[in-house]
Amino acid sequence: MFIAVTIFIILIFLTVNMFSGGGAPRALREQFYGWYYAEDAVTDSLDKPNSPRAVEKCVNNGIGIKTEIFMSRDRKLFVSAYDNLSKEYGKDIVISQSESEDVAACGVMTFPQFLQMVDGRVPVVAELKVCDSNERLCRHAADAILAYGHENAAVVSFHAGIIAWFKQTEKTIFRGIMSAPAKDFKSLSKVDRFTTGNLVNNSVCRPQFILYRNHPESLLVKFALSLGVVTGVWTVTDAREGKASENKKDMIVCRAFMPEKPNFKDLPAREKTQVEINIEQREAEKEARRMAKLEYKLQQKENKNK
């Protein structure tokens, strides 16, 4: 019986460990909690994604921004919804296969230029896109964020290895994982589809927040989301649906509408444990006794001087 109970406890521990995210200081979580994030800075169907005008409109209206980051052949980071610029810029250029000069000539902002424009006025979530050198991508993205000087710039990726790099190398940067139902990952093997779609890889990267696609969540996903991470959804395209998500989610990635209240809730006040309450009471009693002794000594001294 003892062995069976022990094995059961170990299995529970391993399961929780497999799906658990990573902790983050409260001051860091507060930077991102309870915000809407306009995908590619698009708050209106007429907005050009990631354009200076769209970015400035988000900033002026106090809405966060979620965007994608691609790395050029000469290792420069650019903000774009697609690697191929033909759709949005009408240029037959692929960022990951081109020199930065050619990409910049199309009017695409670099990641540092984007951050400089935002200037910490709203939170930013940068999705890092897999490339031929994920380690360099991570290093350059981290350097840009650290040079930015504001804590409200986070990284997110579908690739657990990319986020694991930040867990191991740049722990001060808020990190998250993006995912979706397993059936959406058609290019992956069945095993990888299952692990990615059900957040089984959390133990690899310990995400501090999770953005999950706006689709029904499996029991495993619900379990992972219940373990204390900041939870988010992508991408909500209807204002009413966004409003309905505010009580369920901590971060909402939206597109083509301006939310009524971009910063829709604050991080709940942390409840003190009974141990902390007891310690505070003992400290208060100790301070009261100290003050009483001091007052007694002063009274004795006054009486002696009379």
Side-chain angles (χ1 to χ4, degrees), residues 71-108:
M71 187 167 69
S72 66
R73 190 164 60 188
D74 54 348
R75 311 308 183 193
K76 302 295 183 183
L77 303 188
F78 287 90
V79 177
S80 176
Y82 301 98
D83 193 13
N84 192 317
L85 300 181
S86 60
K87 182 175 181 179
E88 292 182 357
Y89 292 86
K91 303 289 185 179
D92 188 21
I93 287 180
V94 177
I95 296 175
S96 59
Q97 299 173 13
S98 305
E99 297 298 316
S100 57
E101 288 184 2
D102 297 327
V103 177
C106 297
V108 186

PDB file of all heavy atoms in Angstrom, residues 71-108:
ATOM      1  N   MET A  71      14.285  37.513 -38.729  1.00  0.00           N
ATOM      2  CA  MET A  71      15.693  37.889 -38.820  1.00  0.00           C
ATOM      3  C   MET A  71      16.170  37.796 -40.266  1.00  0.00           C
ATOM      4  O   MET A  71      15.951  36.785 -40.940  1.00  0.00           O
ATOM      5  CB  MET A  71      16.547  36.997 -37.922  1.00  0.00           C
ATOM      6  CG  MET A  71      18.008  37.442 -37.839  1.00  0.00           C
ATOM      7  SD  MET A  71      18.928  36.646 -36.500  1.00  0.00           S
ATOM      8  CE  MET A  71      19.015  34.955 -37.100  1.00  0.00           C
ATOM      9  N   SER A  72      16.831  38.851 -40.726  1.00  0.00           N
ATOM     10  CA  SER A  72      17.345  38.882 -42.095  1.00  0.00           C
ATOM     11  C   SER A  72      18.599  38.013 -42.220  1.00  0.00           C
ATOM     12  O   SER A  72      19.139  37.529 -41.223  1.00  0.00           O
ATOM     13  CB  SER A  72      17.662  40.321 -42.501  1.00  0.00           C
ATOM     14  OG  SER A  72      18.739  40.828 -41.726  1.00  0.00           O
ATOM     15  N   ARG A  73      19.055  37.869 -43.439  1.00  0.00           N
ATOM     16  CA  ARG A  73      20.225  37.023 -43.684  1.00  0.00           C
ATOM     17  C   ARG A  73      21.470  37.555 -42.974  1.00  0.00           C
ATOM     18  O   ARG A  73      22.331  36.781 -42.534  1.00  0.00           O
ATOM     19  CB  ARG A  73      20.485  36.918 -45.193  1.00  0.00           C
ATOM     20  CG  ARG A  73      21.529  35.869 -45.574  1.00  0.00           C
ATOM     21  CD  ARG A  73      21.460  35.547 -47.053  1.00  0.00           C
ATOM     22  NE  ARG A  73      21.703  36.730 -47.877  1.00  0.00           N
ATOM     23  CZ  ARG A  73      21.537  36.747 -49.201  1.00  0.00           C
ATOM     24  NH1 ARG A  73      21.112  35.660 -49.824  1.00  0.00           N
ATOM     25  NH2 ARG A  73      21.788  37.861 -49.891  1.00  0.00           N
ATOM     26  N   ASP A  74      21.562  38.879 -42.839  1.00  0.00           N
ATOM     27  CA  ASP A  74      22.719  39.458 -42.152  1.00  0.00           C
ATOM     28  C   ASP A  74      22.412  39.768 -40.674  1.00  0.00           C
ATOM     29  O   ASP A  74      23.025  40.645 -40.066  1.00  0.00           O
ATOM     30  CB  ASP A  74      23.226  40.702 -42.873  1.00  0.00           C
ATOM     31  CG  ASP A  74      22.145  41.754 -43.089  1.00  0.00           C
ATOM     32  OD1 ASP A  74      20.956  41.432 -42.894  1.00  0.00           O
ATOM     33  OD2 ASP A  74      22.474  42.902 -43.442  1.00  0.00           O
ATOM     34  N   ARG A  75      21.428  39.051 -40.115  1.00  0.00           N
ATOM     35  CA  ARG A  75      21.153  39.028 -38.671  1.00  0.00           C
ATOM     36  C   ARG A  75      20.591  40.329 -38.105  1.00  0.00           C
ATOM     37  O   ARG A  75      20.889  40.704 -36.975  1.00  0.00           O
ATOM     38  CB  ARG A  75      22.418  38.638 -37.881  1.00  0.00           C
ATOM     39  CG  ARG A  75      23.152  37.411 -38.383  1.00  0.00           C
ATOM     40  CD  ARG A  75      22.258  36.213 -38.542  1.00  0.00           C
ATOM     41  NE  ARG A  75      22.981  35.019 -38.949  1.00  0.00           N
ATOM     42  CZ  ARG A  75      22.424  33.900 -39.396  1.00  0.00           C
ATOM     43  NH1 ARG A  75      21.104  33.837 -39.508  1.00  0.00           N
ATOM     44  NH2 ARG A  75      23.150  32.870 -39.732  1.00  0.00           N
ATOM     45  N   LYS A  76      19.751  41.009 -38.855  1.00  0.00           N
ATOM     46  CA  LYS A  76      19.014  42.163 -38.348  1.00  0.00           C
ATOM     47  C   LYS A  76      17.558  41.743 -38.120  1.00  0.00           C
ATOM     48  O   LYS A  76      17.017  40.935 -38.874  1.00  0.00           O
ATOM     49  CB  LYS A  76      19.068  43.337 -39.333  1.00  0.00           C
ATOM     50  CG  LYS A  76      20.474  43.810 -39.684  1.00  0.00           C
ATOM     51  CD  LYS A  76      21.191  44.398 -38.486  1.00  0.00           C
ATOM     52  CE  LYS A  76      22.559  44.929 -38.899  1.00  0.00           C
ATOM     53  NZ  LYS A  76      23.310  45.453 -37.730  1.00  0.00           N
ATOM     54  N   LEU A  77      16.941  42.299 -37.093  1.00  0.00           N
ATOM     55  CA  LEU A  77      15.564  41.921 -36.741  1.00  0.00           C
ATOM     56  C   LEU A  77      14.575  42.928 -37.309  1.00  0.00           C
ATOM     57  O   LEU A  77      14.744  44.140 -37.159  1.00  0.00           O
ATOM     58  CB  LEU A  77      15.415  41.846 -35.227  1.00  0.00           C
ATOM     59  CG  LEU A  77      16.363  40.906 -34.480  1.00  0.00           C
ATOM     60  CD1 LEU A  77      15.954  40.813 -33.016  1.00  0.00           C
ATOM     61  CD2 LEU A  77      16.393  39.523 -35.110  1.00  0.00           C
ATOM     62  N   PHE A  78      13.522  42.396 -37.935  1.00  0.00           N
ATOM     63  CA  PHE A  78      12.493  43.243 -38.526  1.00  0.00           C
ATOM     64  C   PHE A  78      11.111  42.872 -38.014  1.00  0.00           C
ATOM     65  O   PHE A  78      10.837  41.704 -37.711  1.00  0.00           O
ATOM     66  CB  PHE A  78      12.526  43.132 -40.054  1.00  0.00           C
ATOM     67  CG  PHE A  78      13.697  43.826 -40.683  1.00  0.00           C
ATOM     68  CD1 PHE A  78      14.896  43.151 -40.884  1.00  0.00           C
ATOM     69  CD2 PHE A  78      13.619  45.161 -41.053  1.00  0.00           C
ATOM     70  CE1 PHE A  78      15.990  43.795 -41.458  1.00  0.00           C
ATOM     71  CE2 PHE A  78      14.706  45.815 -41.618  1.00  0.00           C
ATOM     72  CZ  PHE A  78      15.896  45.129 -41.822  1.00  0.00           C
ATOM     73  N   VAL A  79      10.248  43.881 -37.941  1.00  0.00           N
ATOM     74  CA  VAL A  79       8.874  43.702 -37.473  1.00  0.00           C
ATOM     75  C   VAL A  79       7.973  43.549 -38.695  1.00  0.00           C
ATOM     76  O   VAL A  79       7.817  44.489 -39.483  1.00  0.00           O
ATOM     77  CB  VAL A  79       8.421  44.918 -36.639  1.00  0.00           C
ATOM     78  CG1 VAL A  79       6.969  44.765 -36.226  1.00  0.00           C
ATOM     79  CG2 VAL A  79       9.312  45.072 -35.415  1.00  0.00           C
ATOM     80  N   SER A  80       7.388  42.362 -38.863  1.00  0.00           N
ATOM     81  CA  SER A  80       6.537  42.110 -40.021  1.00  0.00           C
ATOM     82  C   SER A  80       5.589  40.956 -39.727  1.00  0.00           C
ATOM     83  O   SER A  80       5.932  40.030 -38.983  1.00  0.00           O
ATOM     84  CB  SER A  80       7.391  41.771 -41.247  1.00  0.00           C
ATOM     85  OG  SER A  80       6.583  41.433 -42.357  1.00  0.00           O
ATOM     86  N   ALA A  81       4.410  41.003 -40.326  1.00  0.00           N
ATOM     87  CA  ALA A  81       3.441  39.925 -40.135  1.00  0.00           C
ATOM     88  C   ALA A  81       3.843  38.686 -40.928  1.00  0.00           C
ATOM     89  O   ALA A  81       3.438  37.572 -40.590  1.00  0.00           O
ATOM     90  CB  ALA A  81       2.044  40.386 -40.552  1.00  0.00           C
ATOM     91  N   TYR A  82       4.629  38.876 -41.990  1.00  0.00           N
ATOM     92  CA  TYR A  82       5.024  37.763 -42.853  1.00  0.00           C
ATOM     93  C   TYR A  82       6.499  37.852 -43.199  1.00  0.00           C
ATOM     94  O   TYR A  82       7.070  38.944 -43.302  1.00  0.00           O
ATOM     95  CB  TYR A  82       4.214  37.765 -44.158  1.00  0.00           C
ATOM     96  CG  TYR A  82       2.722  37.650 -43.951  1.00  0.00           C
ATOM     97  CD1 TYR A  82       1.918  38.786 -43.975  1.00  0.00           C
ATOM     98  CD2 TYR A  82       2.122  36.411 -43.731  1.00  0.00           C
ATOM     99  CE1 TYR A  82       0.544  38.689 -43.777  1.00  0.00           C
ATOM    100  CE2 TYR A  82       0.752  36.303 -43.536  1.00  0.00           C
ATOM    101  CZ  TYR A  82      -0.028  37.444 -43.558  1.00  0.00           C
ATOM    102  OH  TYR A  82      -1.382  37.344 -43.355  1.00  0.00           O
ATOM    103  N   ASP A  83       7.098  36.690 -43.427  1.00  0.00           N
ATOM    104  CA  ASP A  83       8.479  36.633 -43.892  1.00  0.00           C
ATOM    105  C   ASP A  83       8.557  37.150 -45.327  1.00  0.00           C
ATOM    106  O   ASP A  83       9.474  37.884 -45.685  1.00  0.00           O
ATOM    107  CB  ASP A  83       8.974  35.186 -43.800  1.00  0.00           C
ATOM    108  CG  ASP A  83      10.476  35.065 -43.965  1.00  0.00           C
ATOM    109  OD1 ASP A  83      11.176  36.097 -43.900  1.00  0.00           O
ATOM    110  OD2 ASP A  83      10.960  33.926 -44.149  1.00  0.00           O
ATOM    111  N   ASN A  84       7.571  36.774 -46.131  1.00  0.00           N
ATOM    112  CA  ASN A  84       7.507  37.223 -47.525  1.00  0.00           C
ATOM    113  C   ASN A  84       6.773  38.556 -47.596  1.00  0.00           C
ATOM    114  O   ASN A  84       5.638  38.679 -47.142  1.00  0.00           O
ATOM    115  CB  ASN A  84       6.773  36.170 -48.365  1.00  0.00           C
ATOM    116  CG  ASN A  84       6.921  36.421 -49.850  1.00  0.00           C
ATOM    117  OD1 ASN A  84       6.814  37.551 -50.319  1.00  0.00           O
ATOM    118  ND2 ASN A  84       7.158  35.353 -50.609  1.00  0.00           N
ATOM    119  N   LEU A  85       7.418  39.564 -48.158  1.00  0.00           N
ATOM    120  CA  LEU A  85       6.866  40.918 -48.166  1.00  0.00           C
ATOM    121  C   LEU A  85       5.922  41.195 -49.342  1.00  0.00           C
ATOM    122  O   LEU A  85       5.428  42.311 -49.472  1.00  0.00           O
ATOM    123  CB  LEU A  85       8.000  41.946 -48.186  1.00  0.00           C
ATOM    124  CG  LEU A  85       8.968  41.906 -46.995  1.00  0.00           C
ATOM    125  CD1 LEU A  85      10.025  42.989 -47.146  1.00  0.00           C
ATOM    126  CD2 LEU A  85       8.219  42.056 -45.674  1.00  0.00           C
ATOM    127  N   SER A  86       5.660  40.190 -50.171  1.00  0.00           N
ATOM    128  CA  SER A  86       4.839  40.425 -51.359  1.00  0.00           C
ATOM    129  C   SER A  86       3.406  40.809 -51.009  1.00  0.00           C
ATOM    130  O   SER A  86       2.789  41.633 -51.698  1.00  0.00           O
ATOM    131  CB  SER A  86       4.833  39.178 -52.253  1.00  0.00           C
ATOM    132  OG  SER A  86       4.305  38.059 -51.549  1.00  0.00           O
ATOM    133  N   LYS A  87       2.860  40.267 -49.927  1.00  0.00           N
ATOM    134  CA  LYS A  87       1.460  40.517 -49.594  1.00  0.00           C
ATOM    135  C   LYS A  87       1.222  41.935 -49.077  1.00  0.00           C
ATOM    136  O   LYS A  87       0.301  42.621 -49.522  1.00  0.00           O
ATOM    137  CB  LYS A  87       0.971  39.502 -48.562  1.00  0.00           C
ATOM    138  CG  LYS A  87      -0.501  39.661 -48.206  1.00  0.00           C
ATOM    139  CD  LYS A  87      -0.986  38.557 -47.282  1.00  0.00           C
ATOM    140  CE  LYS A  87      -2.470  38.740 -46.978  1.00  0.00           C
ATOM    141  NZ  LYS A  87      -3.002  37.663 -46.099  1.00  0.00           N
ATOM    142  N   GLU A  88       2.055  42.388 -48.154  1.00  0.00           N
ATOM    143  CA  GLU A  88       1.804  43.678 -47.519  1.00  0.00           C
ATOM    144  C   GLU A  88       2.612  44.825 -48.104  1.00  0.00           C
ATOM    145  O   GLU A  88       2.228  45.989 -47.955  1.00  0.00           O
ATOM    146  CB  GLU A  88       2.068  43.576 -46.011  1.00  0.00           C
ATOM    147  CG  GLU A  88       1.053  42.682 -45.314  1.00  0.00           C
ATOM    148  CD  GLU A  88       1.273  42.623 -43.818  1.00  0.00           C
ATOM    149  OE1 GLU A  88       2.246  43.232 -43.340  1.00  0.00           O
ATOM    150  OE2 GLU A  88       0.475  41.972 -43.136  1.00  0.00           O
ATOM    151  N   TYR A  89       3.727  44.508 -48.763  1.00  0.00           N
ATOM    152  CA  TYR A  89       4.572  45.577 -49.295  1.00  0.00           C
ATOM    153  C   TYR A  89       4.691  45.524 -50.818  1.00  0.00           C
ATOM    154  O   TYR A  89       5.306  46.399 -51.427  1.00  0.00           O
ATOM    155  CB  TYR A  89       5.964  45.521 -48.667  1.00  0.00           C
ATOM    156  CG  TYR A  89       5.952  45.876 -47.194  1.00  0.00           C
ATOM    157  CD1 TYR A  89       5.699  44.911 -46.220  1.00  0.00           C
ATOM    158  CD2 TYR A  89       6.181  47.179 -46.766  1.00  0.00           C
ATOM    159  CE1 TYR A  89       5.683  45.232 -44.871  1.00  0.00           C
ATOM    160  CE2 TYR A  89       6.173  47.508 -45.424  1.00  0.00           C
ATOM    161  CZ  TYR A  89       5.906  46.533 -44.479  1.00  0.00           C
ATOM    162  OH  TYR A  89       5.895  46.854 -43.138  1.00  0.00           O
ATOM    163  N   GLY A  90       4.138  44.470 -51.417  1.00  0.00           N
ATOM    164  CA  GLY A  90       4.195  44.351 -52.868  1.00  0.00           C
ATOM    165  C   GLY A  90       5.594  44.150 -53.402  1.00  0.00           C
ATOM    166  O   GLY A  90       5.887  44.475 -54.559  1.00  0.00           O
ATOM    167  N   LYS A  91       6.487  43.603 -52.581  1.00  0.00           N
ATOM    168  CA  LYS A  91       7.877  43.376 -52.979  1.00  0.00           C
ATOM    169  C   LYS A  91       8.194  41.877 -52.917  1.00  0.00           C
ATOM    170  O   LYS A  91       7.833  41.198 -51.957  1.00  0.00           O
ATOM    171  CB  LYS A  91       8.833  44.125 -52.045  1.00  0.00           C
ATOM    172  CG  LYS A  91       8.587  45.634 -51.972  1.00  0.00           C
ATOM    173  CD  LYS A  91       8.995  46.331 -53.247  1.00  0.00           C
ATOM    174  CE  LYS A  91       8.863  47.849 -53.097  1.00  0.00           C
ATOM    175  NZ  LYS A  91       9.276  48.563 -54.323  1.00  0.00           N
ATOM    176  N   ASP A  92       8.871  41.405 -53.937  1.00  0.00           N
ATOM    177  CA  ASP A  92       9.233  39.990 -53.982  1.00  0.00           C
ATOM    178  C   ASP A  92      10.507  39.758 -53.166  1.00  0.00           C
ATOM    179  O   ASP A  92      11.565  39.419 -53.694  1.00  0.00           O
ATOM    180  CB  ASP A  92       9.433  39.552 -55.438  1.00  0.00           C
ATOM    181  CG  ASP A  92       9.624  38.040 -55.549  1.00  0.00           C
ATOM    182  OD1 ASP A  92       9.218  37.330 -54.615  1.00  0.00           O
ATOM    183  OD2 ASP A  92      10.200  37.586 -56.558  1.00  0.00           O
ATOM    184  N   ILE A  93      10.362  39.980 -51.851  1.00  0.00           N
ATOM    185  CA  ILE A  93      11.502  39.861 -50.941  1.00  0.00           C
ATOM    186  C   ILE A  93      11.108  39.006 -49.741  1.00  0.00           C
ATOM    187  O   ILE A  93      10.040  39.198 -49.153  1.00  0.00           O
ATOM    188  CB  ILE A  93      11.975  41.246 -50.456  1.00  0.00           C
ATOM    189  CG1 ILE A  93      12.688  41.982 -51.607  1.00  0.00           C
ATOM    190  CG2 ILE A  93      12.902  41.140 -49.251  1.00  0.00           C
ATOM    191  CD1 ILE A  93      13.187  43.366 -51.245  1.00  0.00           C
ATOM    192  N   VAL A  94      11.964  38.074 -49.383  1.00  0.00           N
ATOM    193  CA  VAL A  94      11.773  37.243 -48.198  1.00  0.00           C
ATOM    194  C   VAL A  94      12.780  37.711 -47.155  1.00  0.00           C
ATOM    195  O   VAL A  94      13.997  37.667 -47.405  1.00  0.00           O
ATOM    196  CB  VAL A  94      11.972  35.750 -48.516  1.00  0.00           C
ATOM    197  CG1 VAL A  94      11.835  34.909 -47.247  1.00  0.00           C
ATOM    198  CG2 VAL A  94      10.955  35.294 -49.563  1.00  0.00           C
ATOM    199  N   ILE A  95      12.303  38.174 -46.025  1.00  0.00           N
ATOM    200  CA  ILE A  95      13.188  38.773 -45.014  1.00  0.00           C
ATOM    201  C   ILE A  95      14.332  37.844 -44.631  1.00  0.00           C
ATOM    202  O   ILE A  95      15.502  38.247 -44.624  1.00  0.00           O
ATOM    203  CB  ILE A  95      12.387  39.159 -43.753  1.00  0.00           C
ATOM    204  CG1 ILE A  95      11.359  40.250 -44.080  1.00  0.00           C
ATOM    205  CG2 ILE A  95      13.330  39.659 -42.656  1.00  0.00           C
ATOM    206  CD1 ILE A  95      10.442  40.599 -42.922  1.00  0.00           C
ATOM    207  N   SER A  96      14.015  36.600 -44.326  1.00  0.00           N
ATOM    208  CA  SER A  96      15.030  35.661 -43.833  1.00  0.00           C
ATOM    209  C   SER A  96      16.079  35.307 -44.882  1.00  0.00           C
ATOM    210  O   SER A  96      17.138  34.773 -44.552  1.00  0.00           O
ATOM    211  CB  SER A  96      14.353  34.384 -43.331  1.00  0.00           C
ATOM    212  OG  SER A  96      13.607  33.770 -44.373  1.00  0.00           O
ATOM    213  N   GLN A  97      15.787  35.616 -46.157  1.00  0.00           N
ATOM    214  CA  GLN A  97      16.734  35.299 -47.231  1.00  0.00           C
ATOM    215  C   GLN A  97      17.371  36.547 -47.843  1.00  0.00           C
ATOM    216  O   GLN A  97      18.076  36.462 -48.836  1.00  0.00           O
ATOM    217  CB  GLN A  97      16.010  34.508 -48.334  1.00  0.00           C
ATOM    218  CG  GLN A  97      15.438  33.188 -47.861  1.00  0.00           C
ATOM    219  CD  GLN A  97      14.581  32.507 -48.916  1.00  0.00           C
ATOM    220  OE1 GLN A  97      14.589  32.894 -50.081  1.00  0.00           O
ATOM    221  NE2 GLN A  97      13.842  31.492 -48.504  1.00  0.00           N
ATOM    222  N   SER A  98      17.117  37.700 -47.244  1.00  0.00           N
ATOM    223  CA  SER A  98      17.561  38.957 -47.834  1.00  0.00           C
ATOM    224  C   SER A  98      18.469  39.739 -46.895  1.00  0.00           C
ATOM    225  O   SER A  98      18.480  39.515 -45.678  1.00  0.00           O
ATOM    226  CB  SER A  98      16.348  39.819 -48.204  1.00  0.00           C
ATOM    227  OG  SER A  98      15.463  39.108 -49.047  1.00  0.00           O
ATOM    228  N   GLU A  99      19.209  40.675 -47.477  1.00  0.00           N
ATOM    229  CA  GLU A  99      20.042  41.571 -46.689  1.00  0.00           C
ATOM    230  C   GLU A  99      19.160  42.654 -46.061  1.00  0.00           C
ATOM    231  O   GLU A  99      18.126  43.041 -46.611  1.00  0.00           O
ATOM    232  CB  GLU A  99      21.117  42.221 -47.565  1.00  0.00           C
ATOM    233  CG  GLU A  99      22.103  41.237 -48.179  1.00  0.00           C
ATOM    234  CD  GLU A  99      22.906  40.482 -47.135  1.00  0.00           C
ATOM    235  OE1 GLU A  99      23.377  41.125 -46.170  1.00  0.00           O
ATOM    236  OE2 GLU A  99      23.058  39.258 -47.273  1.00  0.00           O
ATOM    237  N   SER A 100      19.589  43.154 -44.927  1.00  0.00           N
ATOM    238  CA  SER A 100      18.785  44.128 -44.191  1.00  0.00           C
ATOM    239  C   SER A 100      18.539  45.405 -44.983  1.00  0.00           C
ATOM    240  O   SER A 100      17.479  46.023 -44.871  1.00  0.00           O
ATOM    241  CB  SER A 100      19.467  44.463 -42.853  1.00  0.00           C
ATOM    242  OG  SER A 100      20.785  44.951 -43.066  1.00  0.00           O
ATOM    243  N   GLU A 101      19.502  45.819 -45.813  1.00  0.00           N
ATOM    244  CA  GLU A 101      19.327  47.031 -46.608  1.00  0.00           C
ATOM    245  C   GLU A 101      18.141  46.907 -47.557  1.00  0.00           C
ATOM    246  O   GLU A 101      17.368  47.850 -47.736  1.00  0.00           O
ATOM    247  CB  GLU A 101      20.606  47.326 -47.402  1.00  0.00           C
ATOM    248  CG  GLU A 101      21.773  47.813 -46.545  1.00  0.00           C
ATOM    249  CD  GLU A 101      22.977  48.179 -47.390  1.00  0.00           C
ATOM    250  OE1 GLU A 101      22.872  48.088 -48.634  1.00  0.00           O
ATOM    251  OE2 GLU A 101      24.011  48.539 -46.802  1.00  0.00           O
ATOM    252  N   ASP A 102      17.992  45.736 -48.161  1.00  0.00           N
ATOM    253  CA  ASP A 102      16.894  45.505 -49.098  1.00  0.00           C
ATOM    254  C   ASP A 102      15.549  45.476 -48.379  1.00  0.00           C
ATOM    255  O   ASP A 102      14.543  45.962 -48.893  1.00  0.00           O
ATOM    256  CB  ASP A 102      17.108  44.195 -49.861  1.00  0.00           C
ATOM    257  CG  ASP A 102      18.363  44.229 -50.723  1.00  0.00           C
ATOM    258  OD1 ASP A 102      18.693  45.318 -51.217  1.00  0.00           O
ATOM    259  OD2 ASP A 102      19.007  43.171 -50.880  1.00  0.00           O
ATOM    260  N   VAL A 103      15.554  44.901 -47.180  1.00  0.00           N
ATOM    261  CA  VAL A 103      14.307  44.834 -46.399  1.00  0.00           C
ATOM    262  C   VAL A 103      13.910  46.234 -45.934  1.00  0.00           C
ATOM    263  O   VAL A 103      12.750  46.641 -46.053  1.00  0.00           O
ATOM    264  CB  VAL A 103      14.482  43.897 -45.183  1.00  0.00           C
ATOM    265  CG1 VAL A 103      13.205  43.886 -44.343  1.00  0.00           C
ATOM    266  CG2 VAL A 103      14.829  42.485 -45.640  1.00  0.00           C
ATOM    267  N   ALA A 104      14.880  46.982 -45.414  1.00  0.00           N
ATOM    268  CA  ALA A 104      14.603  48.334 -44.925  1.00  0.00           C
ATOM    269  C   ALA A 104      14.127  49.248 -46.048  1.00  0.00           C
ATOM    270  O   ALA A 104      13.297  50.136 -45.826  1.00  0.00           O
ATOM    271  CB  ALA A 104      15.854  48.911 -44.266  1.00  0.00           C
ATOM    272  N   ALA A 105      14.618  49.014 -47.276  1.00  0.00           N
ATOM    273  CA  ALA A 105      14.227  49.837 -48.421  1.00  0.00           C
ATOM    274  C   ALA A 105      12.742  49.686 -48.745  1.00  0.00           C
ATOM    275  O   ALA A 105      12.158  50.560 -49.392  1.00  0.00           O
ATOM    276  CB  ALA A 105      15.066  49.468 -49.637  1.00  0.00           C
ATOM    277  N   CYS A 106      12.137  48.604 -48.267  1.00  0.00           N
ATOM    278  CA  CYS A 106      10.699  48.380 -48.487  1.00  0.00           C
ATOM    279  C   CYS A 106       9.841  49.139 -47.471  1.00  0.00           C
ATOM    280  O   CYS A 106       8.620  49.170 -47.585  1.00  0.00           O
ATOM    281  CB  CYS A 106      10.377  46.892 -48.395  1.00  0.00           C
ATOM    282  SG  CYS A 106      11.181  45.888 -49.648  1.00  0.00           S
ATOM    283  N   GLY A 107      10.498  49.728 -46.479  1.00  0.00           N
ATOM    284  CA  GLY A 107       9.759  50.468 -45.456  1.00  0.00           C
ATOM    285  C   GLY A 107       9.446  49.666 -44.213  1.00  0.00           C
ATOM    286  O   GLY A 107       8.642  50.100 -43.376  1.00  0.00           O
ATOM    287  N   VAL A 108      10.089  48.500 -44.061  1.00  0.00           N
ATOM    288  CA  VAL A 108       9.859  47.653 -42.888  1.00  0.00           C
ATOM    289  C   VAL A 108      10.702  48.153 -41.719  1.00  0.00           C
ATOM    290  O   VAL A 108      11.901  48.391 -41.860  1.00  0.00           O
ATOM    291  CB  VAL A 108      10.215  46.180 -43.192  1.00  0.00           C
ATOM    292  CG1 VAL A 108       9.829  45.285 -42.017  1.00  0.00           C
ATOM    293  CG2 VAL A 108       9.519  45.717 -44.465  1.00  0.00           C
TER     294      VAL A 108
END
